[in-house]
């Protein structure tokens, strides 16, 4: 018996030993491929985020995220405009390489991959939720995304403006949370919040928390949306989720005479927050200058993918090693540009080069600032530090020239059209071409104030008042295409279609690359019974913006005016396939159905229009009229 027990014990020992050896030799289970969430908050100054040194009280979610991860204290944007800045964030390239230089009229250069395109071969499921029309899919930023949600408030309204085409942070957060609830892993998610962008109009709850501080109220609205996203991450995946949060650019808030952003290149609009948290990220505060173009290489590095050639950025992972992030002298050049003054007013383009201590602004006369000792950039040292300025100027030239025209020049045609409409007289004909935008900033601020007043008149159905306002702007700034565009809208509102068409044609001469101008002009020409030219413009606009619902919507309006009801119906159906909540398309389909005496369908379409836009009075009246006939 003792012998048997001994044998059994020996067998058990051997079995346990072999089992232990087997366990020791078996490979450890592979770590899950990290999910990646990129969150961009429009118009967010770094000094209004408390974890970076602010005192706004508006960013509790971002602050908590920063305390758990890495905070980059000197992060810089590549452009003070939404679309070019995001293009750099998503491609790791400067505007000189990705080809987007303004919020309108540009699309991402073919052959420039987005982060979504780079992650898909690794098996990533990709989705984007953007909160502003400026980032619509047709800009090319949608490349590589399985889903790209770019539907906004204001779609289908009669007088659509860029400011009306946005959605609140709470809505964006809810939509993203719904997607996360059924997301397949690994995923790459980009969520964009637009709230802090002017005009500052926070929801009542946040307005009450920040009385007399509407900008901070808007920031808090976005922060609330970020919280909804973070709370929706599955708990078992939280440790393997990489989260990056940044602002696309800042906001000037009156510094250097600029109330908002886009025209100048000071740090009030270029210094942005950057927080990285999650898988493989230590708790750290990095003081060395970093850039938006560094985000893509950093993400690729953290998920184990190679960084392709041609990027201007570099991975930030090495900054977490041995205090490398505390050596500001090692920072590579941060290039930034704005061509807003050039493209909209004929003023000089601006570019800047920043090395962490010095910043040189390539402008008429040149500007050089010592950022460590003069963070507000008030003491221009370009004469006293000539060699430093010259060195940064040479570095800027290596990045790329700002002299090349990104749009085909039409100066001769523009001058002729200006003269024919009575705009060209005296110095207004040249509009101070090549002027330094800094010296023109007061004129520009007056322009913005007047332009916004005209928008309020137009949206308030004061077509005559809006016409006077925009006509005054067009005379003061004859080469600003938006002044002519909105003057044309005011003229069309009071049914002066021939005059509206002439203004639209002039706007197209000044800016031949903006698809919305083609669609607006086509509608005015159709109302003026000039159908051949109207269809020609629709065709060209759709060629330039093939993915947008605006093209088929405009084609439907033109076809309906021309009496081609079948073509109009197909076009409106096409528009709804691209944007199911398009109130204007439902209303027009109701009108077409009613013209065919199909009252049931007409009422259904009118009701869909009213559901999509409860403020659409014509749809409400149409429903009431049809229902009264059925009683």
């Amino acid at each position: 018996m003792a012998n048997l027990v001994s044998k059994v014990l020996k067998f058990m020992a051997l079995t346990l030993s072999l089992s232990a050896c087997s366990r020791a030799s078996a490979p450890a289970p592979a770590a899950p491929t990290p999910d990646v969430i990129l969150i961009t908050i429009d118009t967010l100054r770094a000094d209004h985020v408390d974890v970076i040194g602010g005192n706004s009280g508006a960013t509790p979610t971002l602050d908590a995220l920063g305390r758990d991860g890495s905070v980059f204290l000197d992060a810089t944007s590549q452009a003070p405009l939404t679309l070019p800045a995001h293009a750099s964030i998503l491609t790791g390239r400067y505007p000189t390489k990705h080809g987007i230089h303004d919020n309108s009229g540009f699309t991402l250069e073919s052959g420039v991959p987005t982060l979504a395109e780079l992650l898909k071969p690794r098996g990533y499921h990709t989705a984007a939720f953007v909160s502003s029309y400026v980032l619509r899919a047709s800009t090319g930023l949608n490349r590589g995304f399985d889903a790209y949600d770019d539907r906004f408030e204001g779609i289908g309204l009669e007088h659509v403006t860029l400011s009306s085409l946005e959605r609140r942070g709470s809505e964006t957060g809810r939509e993203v949370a719904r997607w996360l609830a059924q997301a397949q892993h690994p995923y790459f998610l980009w969520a964009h919040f637009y709230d802090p962008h002017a005009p500052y109009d926070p929801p009542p709850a946040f307005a009450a928390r920040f009385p007399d501080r509407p900008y901070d109220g808007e920031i808090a609205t976005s922060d609330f949306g970020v919280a909804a996203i973070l709370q929706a991450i599955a708990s078992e995946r939280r440790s393997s989720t990489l989260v990056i949060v940044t602002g696309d650019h800042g906001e000037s808030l009156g510094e250097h005479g600029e109330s908002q952003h886009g025209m100048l290149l000071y740090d009030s609009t270029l210094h942005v927050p950057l927080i990285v948290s999650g898988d493989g990220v230590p708790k750290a505060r990095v003081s060395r200058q970093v850039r938006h173009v560094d985000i893509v290489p950093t993400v690729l590095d953290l998920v184990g993918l190679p960084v392709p050639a041609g990027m201007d950025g570099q991975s930030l992972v090495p900054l977490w090693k041995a205090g490398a992030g505390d050596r500001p002298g090692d920072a590579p050049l941060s290039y930034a540009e704005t061509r807003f003054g050039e493209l909209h007013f004929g003023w000089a383009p601006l570019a800047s080069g920043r090395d962490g201590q010095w910043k040189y602004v390539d402008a008429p006369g040149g500007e050089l600032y010592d950022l460590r000792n003069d963070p507000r950039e008030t003491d221009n040292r370009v004469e006293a530090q000539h060699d430093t300025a010259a060195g940064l100027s040479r570095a800027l030239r290596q990045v790329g020239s700002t002299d090349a025209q990104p749009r085909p020049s039409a100066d001769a045609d523009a001058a002729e059209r200006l003269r024919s409409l009575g705009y060209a007289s005296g110095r207004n004909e040249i509009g101070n071409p090549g002027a330094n935008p800094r010296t023109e900033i007061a004129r520009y601020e007056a322009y913005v104030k007047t332009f916004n007043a005209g928008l309020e008149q137009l949206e308030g159905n004061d077509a005559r008042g809006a016409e006077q306002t925009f006509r005054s702007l067009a005379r003061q700034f004859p080469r600003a295409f938006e002044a002519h565009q909105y003057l044309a809208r005011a003229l069309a509102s009071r049914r002066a279609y021939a005059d509206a068409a002439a203004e639209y044609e002039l706007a197209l001469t000044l800016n031949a690359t903006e698809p919305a101008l083609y669609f607006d002009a086509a509608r005015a020409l159709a109302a003026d019974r000039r159908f051949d030219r109207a269809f020609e413009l629709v065709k060209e606009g759709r060629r330039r913006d093939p993915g947008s619902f605006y093209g088929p919507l405009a084609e439907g309006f033109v076809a309906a005016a021309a009496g081609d009801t079948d073509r109009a119906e197909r076009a409106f159906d096409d528009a709804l396939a691209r944007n199911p909540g398009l109130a204007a398309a439902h209303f027009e389909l109701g009108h077409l159905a009613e013209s065919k005496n199909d009252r049931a369908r007409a009422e259904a379409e009118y009701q869909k229009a009213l559901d999509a836009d409860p403020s659409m009075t014509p749809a409400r009246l149409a429903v009431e009229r049809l229902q009264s006939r059925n009683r």
Side-chain angles (χ1 to χ4, degrees):
M1 184 70 176
N3 231 6
L4 179 60
V5 170
S6 175
K7 287 181 179 179
V8 170
L9 290 174
K10 286 181 179 178
F11 176 76
M12 290 177 64
L14 177 62
T15 302
L16 290 171
S17 175
L18 289 172
S19 176
C21 289
S22 174
R23 285 196 301 270
S25 62
T33 302
D35 296 322
V36 179
I37 298 177
L38 170 65
I39 298 173
T40 58
I41 302 177
D42 220 287
T43 324
L44 178 58
R45 285 176 64 119
D47 60 5
H48 281 240
V49 177
D50 292 0
V51 77
I52 296 178
N55 189 32
S56 69
T59 56
T61 306
L62 299 190
D63 299 337
L65 194 69
R67 287 191 294 269
D68 287 339
S70 288
V71 177
F72 294 87
L73 302 174
D74 194 15
T76 54
S77 174
Q78 269 48 81
L81 291 164
T82 297
L83 182 56
H86 277 92
S88 289
I89 291 170
L90 289 168
T91 68
R93 288 167 168 80
Y94 289 139
T96 52
K97 288 187 180 175
H98 60 59
I100 294 181
H101 300 277
D102 192 21
N103 282 341
S104 65
F106 293 93
T107 56
L108 186 65
E109 292 282 357
S110 60
V112 176
T114 66
L115 180 55
E117 290 178 298
L118 294 171
L119 291 175
K120 280 189 72 66
R122 179 72 181 268
Y124 275 85
H125 304 275
T126 56
F129 295 79
V130 300
S131 300
S132 169
Y133 172 78
V134 172
L135 299 177
R136 62 198 182 277
S138 60
T139 61
L141 296 189
N142 68 325
R143 296 208 308 249
F145 286 103
D146 302 322
Y148 197 91
D149 188 331
D150 60 353
R151 289 174 290 176
F152 322 104
E153 295 178 15
I155 293 297
L157 300 181
E158 183 63 24
H159 298 300
V160 172
T161 67
L162 291 183
S163 63
S164 71
L165 296 183
E166 62 175 286
R167 57 181 166 193
R168 293 288 195 187
S170 55
E171 181 186 348
T172 300
R174 284 194 302 270
E175 291 297 318
V176 172
R178 289 192 190 102
W179 184 86
L180 283 170
Q182 47 75 48
Q184 294 179 278
H185 304 284
Y187 60 72
F188 167 51
L189 166 69
W190 168 35
H192 163 254
F193 294 91
Y194 194 66
D195 304 273
H197 198 285
Y200 315 128
D201 180 28
F206 294 102
R209 279 180 52 197
F210 299 93
D212 304 319
R213 293 163 55 197
Y215 175 64
D216 287 331
E218 295 273 44
I219 293 173
T221 306
S222 289
D223 188 83
F224 180 81
V226 174
I229 294 175
L230 299 182
Q231 290 165 7
I233 300 173
S235 57
E236 67 274 13
R237 298 285 300 189
R238 186 64 185 88
S239 62
S240 60
T241 300
L242 178 65
V243 180
I244 305 101
V245 181
T246 190
D248 65 340
H249 54 72
E251 187 77 315
S252 205
L253 300 177
E255 290 153 292
H256 301 278
E258 185 177 31
S259 62
Q260 297 177 24
H261 60 270
M263 186 64 75
L264 305 177
L265 288 179
Y266 299 107
D267 269 16
S268 53
T269 62
L270 294 182
H271 184 202
V272 292
L274 176 60
I275 299 169
V276 182
S277 178
D279 192 48
V281 179
K283 294 183 180 181
R285 292 175 69 82
V286 178
S287 58
R288 201 202 76 171
Q289 172 184 278
V290 299
R291 308 161 297 175
H292 269 162
V293 291
D294 298 326
I295 291 175
V296 171
T298 302
V299 171
L300 295 176
D301 195 352
L302 288 169
V303 303
L305 288 177
V307 177
M311 285 195 182
D312 294 300
Q314 54 189 235
S315 173
L316 301 178
V317 172
L319 297 186
W320 289 315
K321 300 175 182 176
D326 296 325
R327 297 197 294 267
D330 295 339
L333 183 82
S334 182
Y335 168 89
E337 68 165 46
T338 177
R339 308 190 69 163
F340 186 83
E342 172 200 14
L343 297 171
H344 295 255
F345 300 94
W347 300 332
L350 299 182
S352 69
R354 193 182 189 279
D355 66 7
Q357 176 178 358
W358 294 96
K359 182 164 84 174
Y360 176 72
V361 181
D362 186 11
E367 299 174 51
L368 180 71
Y369 299 101
D370 181 352
L371 298 175
R372 291 185 198 168
N373 299 305
D374 179 26
R376 294 187 177 276
E377 299 164 284
T378 59
D379 182 15
N380 184 1
R381 306 287 293 166
V382 72
E383 295 296 336
Q385 299 286 337
H386 181 268
D387 290 345
T388 301
L392 286 170
S393 178
R394 286 192 297 271
L396 280 178
R397 287 197 294 272
Q398 291 176 358
V399 171
S401 172
T402 60
D403 295 331
Q405 289 287 340
R407 293 176 179 155
S409 176
D411 284 348
D413 289 344
E416 181 57 36
R417 287 190 183 276
L418 286 166
R419 279 190 290 271
S420 70
L421 293 174
Y423 290 113
S425 60
R427 66 182 180 87
N428 280 342
E429 182 170 2
I430 58 173
N432 297 342
N436 187 339
R438 182 177 184 178
T439 66
E440 301 295 321
I441 194 65
R443 290 184 68 212
Y444 172 67
E445 288 292 318
Y447 171 93
V448 171
K449 183 177 180 180
T450 305
F451 191 93
N452 288 338
L455 285 182
E456 290 182 10
Q457 291 171 312
L458 189 58
E459 293 172 353
N461 295 316
D462 180 7
R464 289 282 184 181
E467 178 188 346
Q468 293 177 0
T469 299
F470 288 119
R471 193 177 295 282
S472 172
L473 274 185
R475 293 197 179 281
Q476 294 176 62
F477 300 89
R479 293 180 181 273
F481 75 87
E482 296 98 334
H484 300 284
Q485 178 185 8
Y486 283 86
L487 171 57
R489 287 189 177 188
L491 289 164
S493 291
R494 67 173 186 83
R495 302 187 178 186
Y497 296 119
D499 291 341
E503 292 292 340
Y504 277 129
E505 294 279 13
L506 173 55
L508 280 168
T509 303
L510 294 167
N511 178 8
T513 61
E514 177 52 47
L517 286 175
Y518 290 89
F519 302 141
D520 283 356
R523 291 182 62 177
L525 285 159
D528 198 37
R529 314 292 299 174
R530 293 158 61 186
F531 299 118
D532 288 345
R533 175 61 175 159
F535 280 122
E536 180 183 313
L537 289 175
V538 166
K539 182 178 179 180
E540 178 59 20
R542 296 196 67 173
R543 183 187 72 79
R544 293 176 179 274
D545 192 1
S548 169
F549 68 84
Y550 280 105
L553 183 66
E555 182 174 344
F557 283 125
V558 173
D564 190 342
T565 57
D566 290 341
R567 181 173 179 177
E569 189 169 344
R570 289 194 302 272
F572 290 131
D573 284 338
D574 186 6
L576 286 168
R578 298 161 190 256
N579 185 357
L582 193 55
H586 282 301
F587 180 81
E588 293 301 325
L589 284 172
H591 186 69
L592 290 172
E594 193 171 7
S595 71
K596 296 177 181 179
N597 207 31
D598 187 348
R599 293 183 180 178
R601 185 186 176 190
E603 183 179 341
E605 293 291 350
Y606 288 141
Q607 186 60 55
K608 289 177 183 177
L610 193 57
D611 292 342
D613 179 10
S615 68
M616 185 177 269
T617 301
R620 177 177 55 79
L621 294 176
V623 170
E624 292 172 354
R625 173 170 46 78
L626 289 176
Q627 288 178 344
S628 66
R629 289 181 182 178
N630 294 332
R631 293 193 184 108

